[in-house]
């Protein structure tokens, strides 16, 4: 369509941002925008930013600098900044970067079309309020289009934990849960569009407590309600705080078949001294005991985690305690980072660990985590797993999907399509994925 305006979205950071970008593109579709995968011919460039780690704001300013030429050549081009940097910087962005037309915080995405209409010809719009209304309600009217078979669904936002290193409680605000009915409606809508797997998202998703007709439901209650939806085959959630893993949720890992045997449960450090300084409100032993209890409910659970090395005050002994904890748990997958100060957080003003020490510890931790990931993959060779196929692979005729344990699996075959869930026998473990062979399906009798 020649009169459609083109929207280029660049997303940074977490899955929450991927989800938000999709929703923003849908809101802007209502204002006549279709997505394009290059900035060069875009009528609007939208940067959905992340603030969680190092120098996020500076990176956004330098990224914006790269669009200067485009904006000079086409003054009608609209440039928008969304996400947590938008929330944190607000007006400062339009002050520092005159070519930005629109700044919108995560709580105001439903107003995006309206804000966009106010921009142009030098007019600019900034909206980084935390409004009372439910932005999700406003986002819910979407045209029915087929979706990829695995989707994200935000159920909770914000966080009240205040870990000493983290900006989330400041950028995303206090913890808030969406009502159960709204989530079920969105999930049914996704299933109607071909979605078979939903990952429930929230900065602290297991603190979920949403209103239902029968009173508040926790995350386990919500998962059970979702599990009743025909056509929805797989449920996951991320990301969780150890202290919010209640008995009901642990039990769900054992008795809710649709809840997949994968759990992202960040611990950040294995040293009690550092966990205390991080204000994590749990210690290494309580985390290990928790892991034991979840594994008792679901023995084949694959655990994932987040780690920070070089938090202020971390000694070699503290770091060794983290390595010990990793050895004790055995992670199938993990993310690890060097501590980086986020202005405005309590740890930012503390004495920092030397950069070279941080780099050395990160390399050692990542080597161990990589070894564990490889071991978890190697353990799958020879087993038959269930795979939801999500996309084409790089080789002709190749399809790639995810196992129940969220391991990437690729197969070659012409009797399998995107959206199929099929049994696959794993034949090889590659560096970041598993290679498998489709198990032939029992032939349906050729009834008339
Ligand atoms: N420095 C390094 N890593 C951080 N994370 C959050 N804040 C910081 C920081 N200031 C990491 C944590 C969190 C993940 C999403 O990002 O491990 O769990
Ligand atoms: Fe940040 Fe997670 Fe801690 Fe909340 S629980 S403050 S989101 S690290």
């Amino acid at each position: 369509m020649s009169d459609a305006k083109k929207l280029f979205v660049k997303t940074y950071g977490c899955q929450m941002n991927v989800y938000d970008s999709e929703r923003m593109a849908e809101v802007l579709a209502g204002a006549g925008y279709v997505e394009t995968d290059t900035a060069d011919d875009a009528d609007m460039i939208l940067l959905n930013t992340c603030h969680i780690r190092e120098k996020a704001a500076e990176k956004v300013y330098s990224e914006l600098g790269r669009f200067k030429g485009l904006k000079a050549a086409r003054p009608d081009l609209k440039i928008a900044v969304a996400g947590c940097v938008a929330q944190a910087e607000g007006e400062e962005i339009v002050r520092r970067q005159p070519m930005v037309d629109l700044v919108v915080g995560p709580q105001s995405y439903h107003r995006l079309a309206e804000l966009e209409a106010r921009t142009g010809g030098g007019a600019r719009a900034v909206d980084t309020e935390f409004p009372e209304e439910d932005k999700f309600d406003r986002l819910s009217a979407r045209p029915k289009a087929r979706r990829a078979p695995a989707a994200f669904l935000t159920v909770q936002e914000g966080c009240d934990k205040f870990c000493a290193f983290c900006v989330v409680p400041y950028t995303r605000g206090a913890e808030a849960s969406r009502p159960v009915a709204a989530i079920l409606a969105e999930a049914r809508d996704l299933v109607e569009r071909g979605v078979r797997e939903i990952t429930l998202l929230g900065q602290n998703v297991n603190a979920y407590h949403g209103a239902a007709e029968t009173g508040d439901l926790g995350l386990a209650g919500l998962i059970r309600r979702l599990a009743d939806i025909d056509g929805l085959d797989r449920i996951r959630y991320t990301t969780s705080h150890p202290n919010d893993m209640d008995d009901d949720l642990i039990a769900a890992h054992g008795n809710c078949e649709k809840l997949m045997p994968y759990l992202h449960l960040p611990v950040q450090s294995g040293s009690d001294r550092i966990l205390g300084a991080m204000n994590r409100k749990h210690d290494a032993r309580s985390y290990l005991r928790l892991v034991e209890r979840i594994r008792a409910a679901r023995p084949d659970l694959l655990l994932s985690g987040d780690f920070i090395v070089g938090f202020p005050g971390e000694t070699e002994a503290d770091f060794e305690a983290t390595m010990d904890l990793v050895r004790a748990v055995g992670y199938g997958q993990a993310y690890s980072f060097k501590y980086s100060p986020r202005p405005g957080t309590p740890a930012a003003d503390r004495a920092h660990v030397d950069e070279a020490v941080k780099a050395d510890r990160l390399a050692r931790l990542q080597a161990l985590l990589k070894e564990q990931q490889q071991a978890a993959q190697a353990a799958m060779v020879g087993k038959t797993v269930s795979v939801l196929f999500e996309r084409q692979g790089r080789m002709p005729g190749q399809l790639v999907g995810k196992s129940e344990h969220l391991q990437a699996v690729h197969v070659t075959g012409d009797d399998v399509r995107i959206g199929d869930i099929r049994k696959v026998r794993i034949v090889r473990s590659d560096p970041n994925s598993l290679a498998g062979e489709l198990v032939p399906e029992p032939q349906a009798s050729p009834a008339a």
Side-chain angles (χ1 to χ4, degrees), residues 14 51-54 164-168 239 264 266-268 280 305-309 311 335-342 345 347:
C14 64
H51 201 264
I52 202 140
R53 282 181 296 276
E54 213 158 8
F165 51 81
C166 185
V167 286
V168 166
T239 184
H264 182 66
V267 65
Q268 316 293 357
R280 286 288 293 178
D306 289 345
F307 299 89
I308 295 176
V309 301
F311 186 79
Y335 304 92
S336 47
F337 314 99
K338 287 190 280 189
Y339 170 73
S340 78
R342 307 299 312 125
T345 59

Side-chain angles (χ1 to χ4, degrees), residues 256-267:
C256 179
E257 245 177 70
K258 291 185 180 180
L259 182 58
M260 292 292 104
Y262 172 94
L263 179 61
H264 182 66
L265 194 62
V267 65

Side-chain angles (χ1 to χ4, degrees), residues 37-52:
D37 52 12
T38 152
D40 298 336
D41 63 346
D43 297 287
M44 178 165 176
I45 294 174
L46 172 64
L47 298 184
N48 191 7
T49 62
C50 169
H51 201 264
I52 202 140

Side-chain angles (χ1 to χ4, degrees), residues 11-23 48 109 135-136 147 150-159 168 172 175-179 183 186-187 190 197-209 219 222-223 226 234-241 259 262 264 335 406:
T11 307
Y12 302 82
C14 64
Q15 284 151 334
M16 184 81 89
N17 270 12
V18 174
Y19 171 90
D20 281 346
S21 289
E22 285 173 11
R23 307 303 296 271
N48 191 7
Y109 293 159
K135 77 164 181 176
F136 298 103
R147 294 277 304 251
F152 296 116
L153 200 172
T154 295
V155 302
Q156 179 277 341
E157 274 197 294
C159 183
V168 166
R172 292 276 174 153
E175 199 205 289
S177 295
R178 295 177 68 190
I183 296 167
E186 189 173 336
L190 288 169
E197 171 178 313
I198 290 180
T199 300
L200 306 176
L201 291 183
Q203 263 95 24
N204 187 11
V205 72
N206 59 344
Y208 177 84
H209 54 99
L219 187 63
L222 175 68
I223 288 170
L226 286 162
R234 295 172 155 200
I235 302 168
R236 308 179 187 276
Y237 60 92
T238 197
T239 184
S240 297
H241 189 284
L259 182 58
Y262 172 94
H264 182 66
Y335 304 92
L406 206 62

